[in-house]
Amino acid sequence: MKEWSMIMIKCIYFALTVFGLIPVLFGLLYEMILLLPIRVPLHHTPVHLLWQDWGLGVLFVKILYAGTLTGPDWHFKRVLEQVFQAGVMQMDVWFVTTKLVLPVVVTQLHLLCIPYTLCSALPYLGFSDDFSHVCHRRIYPGTVVVLLGVLLLKLQLKQFKRLYIKIKNEKYLIGTRLVNFDAEQVRTAFTQTET
């Protein structure tokens, strides 16, 4: 009985976090980034329906899960594979919490809370309430544009560095392997110069 109750508690925890909390946060983030700026005019108050956000989030979690498992090998893919290979019976709750739930939830909360906090601080810095209201409505798409710009810049710098190294190696490096090199001949020449 105790074993089955532990399995039920694990299932409930996994369902509430992975199929409840994470999809709601994904859906709310998607709504704040894309749907609200398009759907709701600036002079209207947005209404957040968590059931719709949850539905959108479930769709996004499925898409991200499929994309992660079919994409390149990285730490999040290994974590997901390990969690689903273990199954419900041998699920390590601490591993699921620290490697899967916490990183995703913390990232989503940062993406939701930091822009909101910055916009809420604007009236205290002397900006008008109207500017603060417009900022509240437009900061989420702006944040995504800035983050995508930074990621694109980082990727381009990495590519330029690879290109620079390739050009430098082609121009100045004659070969990657020494030819006509006799170790015995170098040792004897070195010992002769010492004496």
Side-chain angles (χ1 to χ4, degrees), residues 108-135:
Q108 290 174 338
L109 287 176
H110 277 120
L111 289 174
L112 284 170
C113 294
I114 290 174
Y116 181 82
T117 305
L118 291 174
C119 285
S120 297
L122 288 178
Y124 298 111
L125 297 174
F127 292 98
S128 67
D129 289 335
D130 292 334
F131 180 75
S132 176
H133 178 71
V134 170
C135 184

Side-chain angles (χ1 to χ4, degrees), residues 6-25 51 54 57-58 61 83-84 87-88 91 93 96-97 100-101 105:
M6 287 303 294
I7 292 173
M8 286 301 294
I9 290 171
K10 287 180 184 181
C11 287
I12 290 170
Y13 172 75
F14 192 73
L16 287 177
T17 55
V18 175
F19 300 119
L21 178 65
I22 292 174
V24 167
L25 290 174
W51 288 108
W54 178 78
V58 167
V61 167
V83 166
F84 286 108
V88 177
M91 183 182 359
V93 177
V96 169
T97 302
L100 179 67
V101 174
V105 170

Side-chain angles (χ1 to χ4, degrees), residues 15-104:
L16 287 177
T17 55
V18 175
F19 300 119
L21 178 65
I22 292 174
V24 167
L25 290 174
F26 265 119
L28 186 61
L29 191 61
Y30 178 74
E31 184 178 14
M32 296 296 287
I33 291 170
L34 191 64
L35 295 180
L36 283 182
I38 294 172
R39 186 180 62 185
V40 181
L42 281 176
H43 60 278
H44 289 133
T45 303
V47 177
H48 300 285
L49 301 171
L50 290 181
W51 288 108
Q52 289 179 356
D53 294 342
W54 178 78
L56 279 171
V58 167
L59 179 69
F60 281 118
V61 167
K62 285 179 73 174
I63 291 170
L64 288 174
Y65 173 71
T68 302
L69 289 183
T70 58
D73 191 28
W74 60 305
H75 66 87
F76 202 63
K77 179 179 179 179
R78 289 188 296 270
V79 168
L80 283 174
E81 287 174 348
Q82 188 173 354
V83 166
F84 286 108
Q85 282 177 359
V88 177
M89 297 290 219
Q90 289 86 23
M91 183 182 359
D92 184 10
V93 177
W94 181 253
F95 180 78
V96 169
T97 302
T98 57
K99 300 292 183 184
L100 179 67
V101 174
L102 279 180
V104 172

